[in-house]
Amino acid sequence: MLTGKKVLIGITGAIAAYKTLELIRLFKKNNADVKVVVTPNALNFVTKTTIESLSQNPVNIEQFDIKEYKPEHIALTDEADIFVIAPISANTISKITHGVCDNLLTSIFCAFKKPVLIAPCMNTNMWENPAIQENLKILKQRGITIIEPETGFLACGCEGKGRLSDINTIFNAAKEILLPKQILKGKKIIITAGGTKENIDAVRYIGNYSSGKMGIALADSAFKLGAEVVLISTVETKKQYKIINVQTADEMYDAVKNEFSNAYSLIMAAAVSDYRVKNRQTQKIKKDGNSLVIELIENPDILKEMSEIKGENQIVVGFCAESQNLIEYAKEKIQKKGCDYICANDISKKDIGFSSDYNEIYIIDKKSDVYKINKTSKQDAAMKILERIYG
Ligand code: CTP
């Protein structure tokens, strides 16, 4: 369930630290990659060996244990998707609220820019202390997720609020943050991918450099968001969702038309050839010493036609790859095609676009408003496009 997710768990010196061992197991059972950072005091409650055996990674304790080229707190910060501090003591709550960086765990917190979840555990009187409550209020305002302690029998012998929350509650809250929301649940989305190939004869075709990576990344992301995906692709791939393989613009046009009427949305990420050969030869053309003239005729404009017939609630998204005047051409194109959004990318930049694994996208809507997605992996760009358009 959490395959590919990197979870950093922080353990501070509190009696419930032993319960965090079960939390590590839960993350591991769900295929997450788990690394653990402890405060020196935490090792009074749990051992390094137990944590290392369960997480299958070395435990991080020391502030200046510099591995490879990066200080450890920065290396751990860069790779983790979430920082879960459970249990977090009153002392560490106060330190992280005020930017204190006196050990590895608090230094990581200070440098961490992704979601943080904390699960406090302490004596009831400490929990009720106004300083602690004020600090928790500040952390909450700053976007930290707080899993409040439960009421019950505490290790100090009294009854009250302060017991570490149930491990499953902490795990589920982290899972909720890590997994994308199902914003496309039950909605049918057609996505086209790859460059079309227009046959000249039995062995030759007119094509383009599109790798299909962006379209496939969009289809994968839409699937993760719960969509019923139909990928219409010139590139062969095997996925858990429906794939229709096509080669020519004509075939892509037919496949899109067949699927479109009950679809919630169409994303035309494919690089569709504007022209096809008028007289395709079934046999290989032989050279005869003369120049060869191939007559081309226009292909249907799939994006334009679907935008014309689309229902009020259907969303049609186009792509445009330009080598100059990107935003200006994209704004013209959205008017010309009549679609709801255009995702524009600059193919003159060598490090993004066509066969690269990276992209930088400008999403333009009908009002000509522009939203930029900075250079990132195509997978990440795909998720950001979907969240922006359908979120
Ligand atoms: N497109 C399409 N059918 C075509 C050509 C393009 O559906 N016959 C779609 C592409 O999938 C893309 C969008 O139209 O989503 C823009 O493609 P692009 O090639 O940039 O646009 P063109 O209309 O072909 O304009 P240009 O003259 O710039 O090539």
Side-chain angles (χ1 to χ4, degrees):
M1 192 195 288
L2 295 175
T3 306
K5 299 291 174 195
K6 295 186 188 309
V7 178
L8 182 61
I9 295 183
I11 309 179
T12 71
I15 182 68
Y18 74 93
K19 295 186 184 170
T20 309
L21 302 176
E22 193 55 40
L23 184 65
I24 298 170
R25 263 172 57 82
L26 255 178
F27 278 115
K28 289 296 288 181
K29 257 169 69 181
N30 283 276
N31 288 336
D33 178 41
V34 178
K35 287 199 175 158
V36 180
V37 53
V38 297
T39 59
N41 274 337
L43 295 181
N44 292 322
F45 298 91
V46 282
T47 74
K48 193 168 169 271
T49 316
T50 321
I51 299 170
E52 289 185 340
S53 310
L54 292 173
S55 67
Q56 292 164 331
N57 270 316
V59 172
N60 302 280
I61 317 161
E62 298 298 335
Q63 174 92 304
F64 296 106
D65 180 11
I66 299 177
K67 296 197 186 79
E68 293 171 13
Y69 62 97
K70 273 186 185 172
E72 193 65 355
H73 66 286
I74 299 299
L76 290 166
T77 301
D78 283 353
E79 60 185 40
D81 297 309
I82 190 169
F83 189 18
V84 179
I85 314 177
I88 186 165
S89 62
N91 185 32
T92 301
I93 287 173
S94 303
K95 286 199 269 186
I96 64 169
T97 309
H98 299 287
V100 175
C101 301
D102 63 342
N103 62 35
L104 182 59
L105 188 147
T106 50
S107 303
I108 289 175
F109 177 86
C110 200
F112 205 77
K113 287 202 159 163
K114 283 167 271 180
V116 179
L117 186 154
I118 60 173
C121 153
M122 65 198 73
N123 162 275
T124 309
N125 293 342
M126 290 171 84
W127 171 255
E128 288 171 354
N129 185 298
I132 300 299
Q133 285 305 315
E134 280 293 312
N135 287 341
L136 286 166
K137 209 165 124 190
I138 293 169
L139 290 173
K140 198 169 174 184
Q141 278 164 0
R142 292 179 188 159
I144 307 300
T145 304
I146 299 165
I147 308 293
E148 293 216 355
E150 291 174 357
T151 302
F153 181 72
L154 303 178
C156 53
C158 52
E159 283 271 324
K161 192 164 180 174
R163 210 166 69 172
L164 183 72
S165 158
D166 178 62
I167 289 300
N168 286 301
T169 309
I170 300 171
F171 173 75
N172 287 333
K175 195 179 76 183
E176 182 106 324
I177 295 168
L178 284 168
L179 296 179
K181 309 272 171 296
Q182 299 279 287
I183 53 171
L184 292 173
K185 196 169 173 61
K187 293 187 166 156
K188 176 174 167 181
I189 300 224
I190 309 166
I191 296 163
T192 64
T196 57
K197 293 175 179 168
E198 305 299 332
N199 292 330
I200 298 170
D201 65 12
V203 292
R204 301 177 181 98
Y205 62 83
I206 298 170
N208 59 66
Y209 289 113
S210 171
S211 62
K213 284 179 185 169
M214 195 62 227
I216 293 172
L218 281 161
D220 285 350
S221 299
F223 186 68
K224 282 186 198 152
L225 296 175
E228 181 202 324
V229 175
V230 179
L231 175 68
I232 302 174
S233 176
T234 62
V235 180
E236 289 208 12
T237 176
K238 286 204 170 21
K239 300 283 178 182
Q240 285 163 280
Y241 44 79
K242 180 173 174 181
I243 298 173
I244 303 172
N245 280 119
V246 295
Q247 191 173 331
T248 65
D250 259 350
E251 287 167 7
M252 187 171 277
Y253 174 70
D254 288 342
V256 169
K257 231 166 80 173
N258 280 342
E259 295 287 340
F260 189 64
S261 63
N262 63 352
Y264 166 65
S265 185
L266 164 69
I267 305 180
M268 285 296 304
V272 185
S273 171
D274 290 326
Y275 294 94
R276 66 176 179 276
V277 176
K278 189 174 177 191
N279 299 308
R280 296 171 187 168
Q281 303 296 309
T282 50
Q283 301 302 325
K284 186 181 171 196
I285 301 171
K286 291 287 185 193
K287 65 173 180 286
D288 60 8
N290 295 315
S291 56
L292 176 69
V293 176
I294 298 171
E295 192 180 345
L296 302 176
I297 52 171
E298 249 189 69
N299 271 327
D301 189 322
I302 310 171
L303 180 63
K304 191 161 183 271
E305 278 202 36
M306 296 306 124
S307 300
E308 278 163 11
I309 63 165
K310 85 181 184 74
E312 218 175 286
N313 297 322
Q314 285 180 303
I315 300 172
V316 176
V317 183
F319 264 69
C320 92
E322 303 289 350
S323 54
Q324 54 177 342
N325 306 328
L326 180 66
I327 306 291
E328 190 191 322
Y329 286 160
K331 284 181 179 173
E332 276 172 29
K333 212 162 264 184
I334 196 168
Q335 303 305 334
K336 193 175 89 185
K337 304 267 187 175
C339 54
D340 300 291
Y341 297 90
I342 281 272
C343 301
N345 67 307
D346 185 346
I347 49 166
S348 69
K349 292 189 181 172
K350 288 268 174 296
D351 54 339
I352 55 169
F354 270 6
S355 38
S356 164
D357 287 329
Y358 295 88
N359 216 342
E360 180 184 88
I361 298 272
Y362 293 85
I363 303 177
I364 291 117
D365 66 17
K366 276 193 153 159
K367 290 183 276 169
S368 283
D369 287 341
V370 180
Y371 176 81
K372 185 180 181 193
I373 296 173
N374 289 327
K375 183 186 165 187
T376 183
S377 68
K378 284 188 173 170
Q379 278 80 7
D380 191 42
M383 194 51 94
K384 291 196 164 112
I385 290 170
L386 300 181
E387 280 168 352
R388 176 72 192 176
I389 294 177
Y390 309 109

